[in-house]
Every structure is written in C-alpha cells, then in structure tokens.
Amino acid sequence: MTAPSASSLLERATQQLDLKNTAEAERICREALRLDPWLADAHLQLATVLQAADRKTEAIAALTTMTKALPQDVRGYRRLGAAHQDMQGYGAATAAYLQAVKLPGADHDDLKRLAACQSLAGLTVDAAQTLTALTRLEPDAAEHPYNLSQLMTKLGNADAARTAIRKACQLL
C-alpha cells in the first residue's frame, strides 16, 4: 500500500473539518505540510482549521509561514490580511493587502480591502490614494467616490469631498 499524497490528505482534512473534528483535521493538514511544505492549499487549509477552532493567532502564524514559503501566492496575503482584519489588526492587515496588490492575480477587491484597512488604521491619505486608483479602475462604481468623499471630509478637504460626492451621485 502506498503512502497518501499531500493532496489526498487534504481531502481527508476537509472531511474531518466538515465533521467539526478540528483536532484531526489539523493533524492531517500538518502531515500534508510535512510531505509537501510548498503545497499552498495545505497552508490555507491549516489556517481554515485553526480559525474554525477559534485559534486565530495560530491561524495568522500559519498564514505568515505560507507567505514566507510561497511569497508569490496572492491567496496567502489575502487570507493573512483578512485574519488580521478580523482581529482588528488594521495596520498588519494593511501590510498584508499591500503585498497582495503587488502580485499577479490581485484584483479590485484586494484594493477595496486595502483601502478599508488603511482607513481603519488611520492611514487616511493612503486610503484616499487607493480609492482614487479604484475610481479610475472602476469608473462606474459609485461606492468609490462616495467613500473618497468621506475620507476627504476627514482630511478637511471640502472641495475634494464635494467633487467626489457629486461624482458618486451622478453614478447612482
């Protein structure tokens, strides 16, 4: 009998997670990573299992390990950003999303998450720049100029806030 592959182990881990058996799912994920430490899905599954077990700090550590082992996989940075955001670590979430948006496979949703975290981290100018970029990328989306108007108001730039809110209203 041949030993199971890392991928087949992940299927078993998913089954165990579906049964709410997080301890066994974690053990299986770690075995898959022992067999193939560069298997991105194993890192992601381990983080999912740890989050399901309400071990959020350990999930962040697992995702950090993934981003170090697989720095070109945008999914690791996305999940890391979301995990930090879930724990209200907006500065760390911003750093993760900044890495995500630099990678192939990044999309407009990554920029939206980045802008939200920048704003929550108090990086209002950076958030405004990100929202300005989003407004150019998605010119028909009223949410970006609306959010930009809110940030411009925070920054005390009434003219830019009025311009942005007018643009948002035109798009509605």
Side-chain angles (χ1 to χ4, degrees):
M1 183 171 158
T2 61
S5 69
S7 294
S8 67
L9 285 172
L10 290 183
E11 291 174 27
R12 286 185 29 219
T14 299
Q15 292 167 348
Q16 291 301 311
L17 185 58
D18 289 345
L19 296 169
K20 308 283 190 246
N21 188 352
T22 56
E24 181 62 8
E26 178 185 357
R27 186 194 69 71
I28 295 168
C29 286
R30 291 191 187 282
E31 177 64 16
L33 283 168
R34 188 187 66 71
L35 292 173
D36 187 352
W38 294 276
L39 183 61
D41 289 339
H43 289 278
L44 295 169
Q45 183 74 342
L46 176 60
T48 299
V49 167
L50 293 169
Q51 286 172 321
D54 202 31
R55 293 164 51 197
K56 295 176 182 180
T57 303
E58 291 174 70
I60 287 172
L63 291 164
T64 300
T65 297
M66 177 187 175
T67 60
K68 289 177 181 173
L70 303 161
Q72 295 302 312
D73 194 316
V74 70
R75 298 172 301 165
Y77 291 104
R78 277 185 189 138
R79 290 281 304 276
L80 182 58
H84 280 297
Q85 194 172 356
D86 185 47
M87 294 183 66
Q88 298 179 348
Y90 302 118
T94 295
Y97 288 131
L98 275 170
Q99 290 302 313
V101 300
K102 295 176 187 175
L103 294 174
D107 57 31
H108 296 180
D109 287 338
D110 295 319
L111 283 169
K112 291 175 191 176
R113 292 181 197 105
L114 173 60
C117 287
Q118 287 170 322
S119 180
L120 291 165
L123 303 170
T124 314
V125 172
D126 293 335
Q129 291 171 343
T130 302
L131 285 169
T132 300
L134 269 167
T135 300
R136 284 192 297 268
L137 292 169
E138 295 179 343
D140 296 330
E143 70 183 284
H144 308 315
Y146 174 79
N147 291 335
L148 184 58
S149 75
Q150 300 301 305
L151 285 173
M152 289 296 122
T153 300
K154 257 188 192 178
L155 290 170
N157 189 335
D159 290 338
R162 272 191 296 279
T163 300
I165 199 68
R166 282 187 193 118
K167 172 74 173 163
C169 290
Q170 289 170 353
L171 293 169
L172 293 176

